[in-house]
Amino acid sequence: MMIEPPDDTTMPPGGSGQAGTPAEDPLPRVLRELSAVIDSGRRIDTAEYLQRYPDLSPRLKEFFKTQGVDGLSTDGPALPPGSTLDDYRVIGEIGRGGMGYVYEAEQLSLKRHVALKVLPSGALRNQKAVDRFRREATAVARLSHPRIVAVHGFAQSGNSAYLSMELVAGLDLAAIVDRLRSARTHGRRFVLISGPDRDGDIAEWARGHRLIGTMPGDPHTEDGVVIDLRNYAHMAAAFGADAADALRHAHAHGIIHRDIKPSNLLLGADGRIKLSDFGLAKSVKDLSLTKTGDFVGSPAYVSPEQAASRRKKVDERSDIYSLGVTLYEFLTLHQPFAGKDVADVLRKIITTDPPPPSRLNPRIPRDLETIVVKAIEKDPAKRYQSAEEFGDDLRRFLNYEPITARPLGPLGRLARSVRRNRVAWRASVLGAAVMLAVALVLASTTNVFGARQVQTPPELVLDDPMQSALIALFNDLAAGIPDKERYQRIFAVTEQAQATLHEGDLVKLDAMLASLDAQIQLSSMAAVDAKLLQSTLRSIKVGAVRALHLAVESGQAQTASGERQLLGAIERLLGDADPLVCKNAAYALGDLGRPSSLGAMLDALAHRSDVSGRRAIIAALARLDQQGAVPYLAELVEDPEPAVRYAALEALLSLDPVDLELTLGGFADDGELWIRDRRERALAARGRD
Amino acid sequence: MPARGRAPAIVARRAVLPLWIAVVSTLLPGCGAEPPPIGVLLPKSAVWGREAEQGLRLAYDELPEEGRPVLREADSGGTTQGAIDGFQMLVRSGATVVLGPFSTDTCIGTGVVADDLRVPFVSPSATAAVVTRDSDYALRVCYSDDEVARGLAAFATEDLELTRVALLVDLSRTYALGLAECFTDELARRHGRIVAEIGFWPDDEDLGDTLDRLVAVVDPETPKDEASVQAVFVAGFGRDIVPMLRGATDKRVEALVLLGADGWNGAELRQLIPGRVAAAYHTSHFSIEEQDPAVARFDAAYRARYGEAPSDMAALVYDAARVIFSVYDPRADGVMLRTRLRSVRRFGGVTGEIDLDFSGEPVGKSIVLEQIHDPGQPGFVRRL
Ligand SMILES: Nc1ncnc2c1ncn2[C@@H]1O[C@H](COP(=O)(O)OP(=O)(O)OP(=O)(O)O)[C@@H](O)[C@H]1O
Ligand SMILES: [Mg+2]
């Protein structure tokens, strides 16, 4: 497969691939280009690059090695058709991936056709990793499920090692998406997604074969499956449900896939999806001989928590996330987190909400959109908690039944739209380690350059504490500063913050705390140290809120903008990971009663997932006494936490909107008797006076 | 950049002088290797460190002299860092189970280390729910704050028939936040409700102001019964409201019923409260007024030996130690001892019956409810 060179690959003037003066060393540009290819999920033809830039070849080889793309073209010729490998005769190449070539082959003794995934010979140098790969593969081999590509076994002979597995007839979803994309660019409406791509009028052909509107599993699909670009939501849901079934089975057997992405969803002859490459991702990392190794291939489908491979536990919900991203891409033909390089993609996975699928493809039904959006929530706790739930909702959609996922209401939408570029939210939702992973990847890339200083990407705004912390971290990593030293520095800043609190310099304190939060998020401190730090920081932050509260109350700020600054500092702490800090901030804002805090409070309410923090904010909203909060509070009637619903009910009662009875209508059939009761008694009491 | 060279006090592992006080070091007869000791992690400097030690020694001396386990002590200094260091030191010296640490914060930190080292610890007195929830190797013999809050809410609504309560929350402690939330929920479940919530910080100089705010919502004259307050639940330590009550001049305070959790045993509070409010109830872990023969025996032995009445802390440590002794086996490692601890059932403690569950929680442990009266009157009300 040839790569399409990205737009900026024009040769520098003065040579076809010749390195110019040191100042115009083409390497950085080539590496950027390569990273973009890797990120886009496409494969790199290493030979082509080596040919194009002969002067760079040693350094390119090094790069391919560290990025885990060695062993492809650089690694000796592929197995030609007709050659044999033990009991197998190679029929032809099917494709290549991060782990080597995949061939169609005949297993001579059993006279059956199989797919062979042959590991790059470079990988064999690491016998321990090969052994782990074998163990993983054999664990997966025990899974038997119609929606999972069966693994027959693993063999190592001479200088090759390979996996033998069930041969799946059709394209993978990545190829299908490619076809859909190209059809869209060329203004074609119908796309054949099985068998060789046809030119000409697919629509005519498909109508003749009565293929349009078929669903996976329908009898006609043996002849081929045709996608109508205007209407394939049901097919996508059916694919998703199949993949979710496969996941459910694997999860029940304790196997996490870890690498769900379009190229691992294969379309079977029956028009249904089979999932391949279960549980292999972990061993792939070992095999790929990379030092940083966190991202082999494309990170686009990696869940926020998954990137943090070292400390965060990756669980079933990471697979759910990745399947959600896969469906997002299938439905919209856009990757939700496309970026210019690995770091950029990861940063987006962390910091941005993708556009709602229906904005990219207005034909996506609302319910399916809701399902996909729920699956790709950044906070694992907000996603489907099991593959079964996910699959069930997709099937409900397919059967035109009501789904269980709730669309983001006005509260969530408001919060998302007014989200300011602040760090605090990320704290509660995302693992810091994700950011660390970004840093590691970037740092390792710069080491390939041989450079020590990391350049600040132009779009980084340095007054964002998270971004400055990130840059500081890059620099530290590039300079080889050990973790311990970095943590000590964080502890030292904590002590300074304490001193600043004593001095009463609240503006400076606010900046210090924001920067500390960012640094802590980026560090992967040992749990004990983190706990210690948290308890120290808690008292500083509580102290900060009190001091800020007092300063506002006593009119210390003098100017309106000064007061706003102090209020902003309190509002920032509403998003603090520590519920006690949030409680203090909420209490202070409720007490001060400044209407301008309403937005920040609603914002925080939408972003916190802990019950303590949310109920504190709700109570404070009641004291703020702004009718603007009413619709948002009324919406909490849907909240799964009874304590939150109850707090919302109390707050509404105290805000006493004109149409109280109407506003409280939703609580009339609350699942909890005591909540229903409170509503009734309150309304009755009001009726009396 | 902050100074890099200076080692901040928090990280610098304090060189805790290993206080290796082997209270008794008996060697198992006929056995070459020393049996693993039981670790004891005490805050020596804390006021109740002495009471804890007395409870421990009493329990230890009740063991038959033959084959008593070896105890090894470390001082936690009452800080999280100190507790972690002490715990690690005890495990390094071979301890397979540890008694202590005592407070919620120290237990949370220690829990992380214990999970790593796979050595269980039994806290006599850390009451926050998270202690056992966040660590697999943390166990405790005291009930949790959540249960206290629920018990008190039940008592307020059922026994006292009070439904409109004001909340006085110590905003500096997670402990208080947990208490306040559980109390609020349980009260609501029982058709009561929090009419007002007032936050305070114990180190605040202007606590009188807090009281004024409270009094403002206590108005028995209010015709609308919806808004008037009948009781105040103090989510915080009893001692912290002393300065508040001392300044109380408003008549309306006299109409109030005070409800509090454990930690209300200060002499000052007992002196201050009678006559100033309508009534004051609080929970504790143990009461000598209860007519329980085991408690009476413990009380008598304790008084005879130390010449003073046993405190809550002494009783809890006494129970924690006996629970550990009942499962200790020199051949068992930490993981096995944890399993044994988790299967302790119907253990007759002086602070109540102890049934440890899989998460290390004493399930359904009863809560002692006491009332603060004029001196001389019995305080024990009943068990919740
Ligand atoms: N069992 C199979 N039957 C048929 N085709 C397969 C089979 N397994 C993989 N393929 C095809 O071979 C190609 C390479 O697959 P491979 O799994 O090596 O790469 P990938 O999925 O892109 O990346 P990764 O190595 O990360 O999984 C893909 O296009 C895929 O469709
Ligand atoms: Mg694959």
Side-chain angles (χ1 to χ4, degrees):
Chain A
M1 194 184 295
M2 290 290 280
I3 55 114
E4 324 164 15
D7 303 337
D8 62 345
T9 52
T10 39
M11 304 288 165
S16 51
Q18 300 292 320
T21 59
E24 339 173 334
D25 185 355
L27 184 66
R29 188 175 45 77
V30 175
L31 290 184
R32 252 200 319 276
E33 176 187 319
L34 282 170
S35 317
V37 177
I38 294 178
D39 299 336
S40 70
R42 283 172 293 169
R43 280 146 210 152
I44 294 174
D45 190 328
T46 51
E48 209 245 289
Y49 271 86
L50 293 173
Q51 213 173 4
R52 232 163 70 196
Y53 304 101
D55 289 358
L56 299 180
S57 94
R59 288 197 279 176
L60 278 177
K61 277 185 184 155
E62 165 84 356
F63 175 80
F64 292 146
K65 211 165 101 187
T66 55
Q67 293 295 306
V69 289
D70 85 331
L72 294 180
S73 310
T74 44
D75 212 32
L79 296 174
S83 56
T84 54
L85 190 60
D86 299 335
D87 190 21
Y88 302 92
R89 194 167 50 85
V90 173
I91 294 173
E93 185 187 319
I94 301 175
R96 327 173 172 174
M99 267 182 278
Y101 290 88
V102 177
Y103 300 98
E104 178 178 353
E106 186 186 351
Q107 188 171 9
L108 299 168
S109 60
L110 294 172
K111 297 225 167 353
R112 65 174 175 183
H113 283 220
V114 298
L116 288 187
K117 181 172 266 193
V118 182
L119 293 183
S121 56
L124 299 187
R125 272 173 263 149
N126 185 348
Q127 185 57 41
K128 247 164 93 183
V130 173
D131 287 344
R132 179 153 337 144
F133 183 78
R134 179 207 311 274
R135 271 201 304 280
E136 293 260 354
T138 27
V140 179
R142 281 200 296 272
L143 292 179
S144 162
H145 188 271
R147 307 270 66 86
I148 294 178
V149 176
V151 170
H152 303 315
F154 175 83
Q156 190 177 357
S157 79
N159 58 358
S160 48
Y162 57 90
L163 200 63
S164 152
M165 56 184 163
E166 172 189 359
L167 180 68
V168 183
L171 298 178
D172 62 49
L173 193 60
I176 295 175
V177 169
D178 274 348
R179 286 193 183 182
L180 295 180
R181 276 197 192 113
S182 110
R184 194 183 49 183
T185 355
H186 295 100
R188 286 186 274 123
R189 178 173 162 190
F190 296 101
V191 188
L192 186 67
I193 59 158
S194 65
D197 202 3
R198 273 165 183 269
D199 286 331
D201 194 350
I202 307 265
E204 257 329 289
W205 178 85
R207 252 179 231 123
H209 287 72
R210 295 196 297 141
L211 286 175
I212 292 175
T214 52
M215 281 294 293
D218 282 358
H220 298 296
T221 48
E222 286 140 42
D223 295 328
V225 180
V226 171
I227 285 186
D228 176 354
L229 264 178
R230 292 211 190 140
N231 178 19
Y232 66 101
H234 279 72
M235 179 173 290
F239 283 4
D242 278 348
D245 268 353
L247 282 180
R248 179 185 49 75
H249 180 78
H251 291 166
H253 288 78
I255 293 177
I256 314 272
H257 191 296
R258 294 169 194 276
D259 193 23
I260 299 276
K261 57 181 172 184
S263 74
N264 286 334
L265 269 63
L266 308 180
L267 187 64
D270 57 356
R272 297 184 62 175
I273 283 295
K274 278 177 190 281
L275 219 48
S276 76
D277 291 345
F278 261 97
L280 299 183
K282 207 160 60 178
S283 32
V284 174
K285 257 185 236 159
D286 304 338
L287 285 169
S288 61
L289 313 170
T290 92
K291 285 285 163 294
T292 56
D294 275 340
F295 299 100
V296 181
S298 167
Y301 308 94
V302 156
S303 64
E305 71 277 12
Q306 201 173 359
S309 50
R310 260 174 218 91
R311 295 200 189 275
K312 283 270 159 64
K313 223 182 97 210
V314 168
D315 66 17
E316 290 87 341
R317 296 172 300 181
S318 304
D319 281 351
I320 289 169
Y321 172 92
S322 303
L323 181 55
V325 173
T326 300
L327 289 178
Y328 183 109
E329 185 178 352
F330 186 28
L331 286 165
T332 61
L333 309 184
H334 279 280
Q335 284 187 349
F337 305 106
K340 64 177 176 4
D341 52 33
V342 177
D344 195 32
V345 171
L346 290 172
R347 191 166 54 223
K348 284 186 174 148
I349 291 178
I350 293 157
T351 56
T352 62
D353 286 318
S358 59
R359 191 176 305 158
L360 299 165
N361 175 359
R363 299 183 199 275
I364 297 172
R366 174 91 192 267
D367 275 359
L368 186 56
E369 168 173 75
T370 305
I371 292 175
V372 170
V373 167
K374 176 165 182 177
I376 61 173
E377 280 283 355
K378 297 201 189 301
D379 180 356
K382 289 188 183 158
R383 293 176 205 150
Y384 291 104
Q385 296 299 295
S386 69
E388 185 166 13
E389 281 178 31
F390 189 12
D392 284 349
D393 242 10
L394 285 166
R395 269 181 293 269
R396 277 187 204 105
F397 166 76
L398 285 169
N399 295 331
Y400 303 96
E401 290 166 13
I403 60 167
T404 60
R406 297 258 151 254
L408 215 52
L411 179 55
R413 281 198 301 276
L414 170 103
R416 288 200 174 176
S417 66
V418 303
R419 173 176 314 182
R420 278 140 302 171
N421 189 15
R422 281 201 273 139
V423 187
W425 311 127
R426 299 171 203 161
S428 53
V429 183
L430 300 158
V434 182
M435 299 299 273
L436 183 64
V438 180
L440 284 173
V441 170
L442 278 194
S444 71
T445 314
T446 48
N447 284 340
V448 175
F449 284 87
R452 283 256 146 205
Q453 267 306 313
V454 181
Q455 271 189 354
T456 309
E459 80 278 21
L460 288 187
V461 187
L462 279 166
D463 63 8
D464 179 328
M466 173 55 86
Q467 283 167 346
S468 13
L470 193 54
I471 290 159
L473 183 61
F474 291 163
N475 289 328
D476 285 356
L477 291 172
I481 291 172
D483 287 355
K484 214 171 134 196
E485 204 170 304
R486 285 191 297 111
Y487 302 154
Q488 293 198 352
R489 221 160 55 200
I490 294 177
F491 281 107
V493 179
T494 310
E495 291 194 333
Q496 289 174 11
Q498 181 106 59
T500 310
L501 174 61
H502 280 298
E503 289 156 16
D505 187 343
L506 297 179
V507 175
K508 183 172 160 203
L509 179 62
D510 176 46
M512 284 177 99
L513 288 175
S515 149
L516 263 173
D517 284 341
Q519 291 182 49
I520 292 166
Q521 278 189 68
L522 289 180
S523 68
S524 44
M525 245 181 262
V528 180
D529 287 341
K531 289 254 153 80
L532 279 173
L533 190 59
Q534 198 202 7
S535 70
T536 317
L537 268 177
R538 166 182 302 154
S539 65
I540 298 175
K541 286 174 174 169
V542 168
V545 175
R546 287 175 64 194
L548 288 160
H549 184 171
L550 216 72
V552 176
E553 208 170 45
S554 60
Q556 241 177 62
Q558 281 157 3
T559 63
S561 74
E563 178 176 300
R564 186 87 285 286
Q565 193 172 18
L566 298 178
L567 285 169
I570 306 180
E571 289 162 4
R572 196 181 64 77
L573 290 168
L574 277 178
D576 196 87
D578 187 337
L580 187 72
V581 174
C582 170
K583 168 88 184 178
N584 273 268
Y587 188 84
L589 293 174
D591 216 45
L592 293 168
R594 299 294 192 273
S596 64
S597 296
L598 180 65
M601 288 162 79
L602 292 173
D603 200 11
L605 181 57
H607 280 89
R608 291 197 76 95
S609 53
D610 61 314
V611 178
S612 290
R614 281 191 295 157
R615 63 196 289 177
I617 297 170
I618 295 168
L621 281 171
R623 297 175 65 198
L624 200 62
D625 204 16
Q626 289 294 309
Q627 293 297 320
V630 169
Y632 301 101
L633 290 169
E635 184 156 290
L636 292 172
V637 68
E638 303 277 5
D639 199 277
E641 286 293 340
V644 170
R645 298 200 300 274
Y646 175 74
L649 173 61
E650 286 289 2
L652 285 168
L653 284 168
S654 97
L655 287 174
D656 199 12
V658 246
D659 46 356
L660 181 68
E661 196 151 356
L662 190 74
T663 312
L664 298 187
F667 293 92
D669 37 44
D670 194 281
E672 299 283 336
L673 176 70
W674 49 280
I675 296 180
R676 294 201 299 273
D677 231 65
R678 170 72 185 127
R679 172 189 160 273
E680 271 159 38
R681 281 180 303 119
L683 288 177
R686 259 160 240 236
R688 274 201 305 273
D689 39 72
Chain B
M1 281 293 142
R4 208 179 269 175
R6 198 167 129 242
I10 317 172
V11 236
R13 306 267 175 223
R14 281 187 310 107
V16 173
L17 252 192
L19 290 168
W20 293 39
I21 306 164
V23 176
V24 178
S25 54
T26 344
L27 281 175
L28 270 193
C31 185
E34 249 182 79
I38 293 176
V40 176
L41 197 49
L42 275 172
K44 293 271 190 194
S45 49
V47 265
W48 33 266
R50 184 182 49 85
E51 299 166 1
E53 234 176 310
Q54 292 177 356
L56 170 65
R57 246 181 277 147
L58 193 64
Y60 189 79
D61 291 343
E62 284 174 4
L63 292 174
E65 245 165 85
E66 191 76 354
R68 279 182 187 171
V70 181
L71 299 185
R72 190 146 294 160
E73 285 184 27
D75 186 358
S76 71
T79 66
T80 306
Q81 183 71 68
I84 290 169
D85 290 341
F87 190 85
Q88 283 169 329
M89 191 274 284
L90 289 170
V91 173
R92 264 202 308 280
S93 72
T96 47
V97 56
V98 172
L99 189 155
F102 287 66
S103 71
T104 291
D105 271 341
T106 55
C107 281
I108 290 174
T110 306
V112 181
V113 185
D115 284 354
D116 258 5
L117 299 172
R118 295 160 173 265
V119 170
F121 66 92
V122 180
S123 174
S125 51
T127 46
V130 291
V131 168
T132 51
R133 199 174 58 211
D134 284 4
S135 161
D136 275 348
Y137 283 82
L139 302 101
R140 65 169 148 228
V141 295
C142 53
Y143 46 69
S144 72
D145 296 331
D146 294 12
E147 279 165 83
V148 168
R150 282 193 281 266
L152 279 170
F155 175 72
T157 50
E158 277 171 21
D159 297 39
L160 304 178
E161 298 183 10
L162 301 174
T163 53
R164 295 182 310 278
V165 182
L167 202 54
L168 200 57
V169 201
D170 173 353
L171 285 175
S172 70
R173 292 189 174 91
T174 308
Y175 156 74
L177 192 59
L179 271 179
E181 288 179 358
C182 279
F183 185 86
T184 306
D185 291 347
E186 188 64 25
L187 195 68
R189 278 202 186 84
R190 295 171 175 279
H191 304 314
R193 111 196 140 74
I194 298 296
V195 178
E197 178 180 331
I198 288 145
F200 73 98
W201 298 269
D203 60 348
D204 208 329
E205 272 145 39
D206 201 11
L207 281 171
D209 175 52
T210 310
L211 190 76
D212 290 343
R213 289 175 185 225
L214 182 63
V215 168
V217 294
V218 184
D219 191 356
E221 312 292 307
T222 318
K224 231 170 56 171
D225 62 352
E226 268 274 292
S228 74
V229 169
Q230 301 164 307
V232 179
F233 175 67
V234 183
F237 291 112
R239 59 162 193 268
D240 292 334
I241 60 163
V242 168
M244 230 180 284
L245 285 176
R246 195 180 291 126
T249 47
D250 199 296
K251 273 276 171 222
R252 285 177 286 185
V253 176
E254 288 171 16
L256 285 182
V257 175
L258 286 187
L259 299 165
D262 49 352
W264 278 56
N265 280 331
E268 230 180 332
L269 202 59
R270 301 192 157 276
Q271 226 171 43
L272 201 61
I273 282 180
R276 219 176 265 254
V277 294
Y281 300 90
H282 67 93
T283 60
S284 59
H285 293 271
F286 140 94
S287 166
I288 38 180
E289 288 169 21
E290 208 181 355
Q291 303 303 310
D292 181 309
V295 174
R297 204 161 355 134
F298 165 70
D299 182 44
Y302 193 95
R303 280 173 202 269
R305 181 152 170 183
Y306 303 111
E308 63 184 21
S311 64
D312 270 19
M313 185 53 79
L316 285 169
V317 173
Y318 178 78
D319 278 354
R322 284 165 60 242
V323 164
I324 292 178
F325 297 153
S326 76
V327 302
Y328 176 78
D329 181 333
R331 291 158 308 180
D333 65 3
V335 180
M336 283 157 76
L337 287 177
R338 179 186 62 162
T339 309
R340 285 167 154 237
L341 282 166
R342 283 170 166 182
S343 42
V344 164
R345 292 288 177 276
R346 316 210 58 183
F347 185 91
V350 295
T351 60
E353 197 167 81
I354 297 166
D355 266 312
L356 291 178
D357 73 356
F358 193 74
S359 63
E361 190 68 25
V363 278
K365 197 176 176 205
S366 62
I367 298 166
V368 172
L369 184 76
E370 293 188 288
Q371 185 171 12
I372 302 180
H373 288 295
D374 294 328
Q377 286 204 53
F380 180 75
V381 180
R382 67 178 182 85
R383 277 184 179 267
L384 296 174

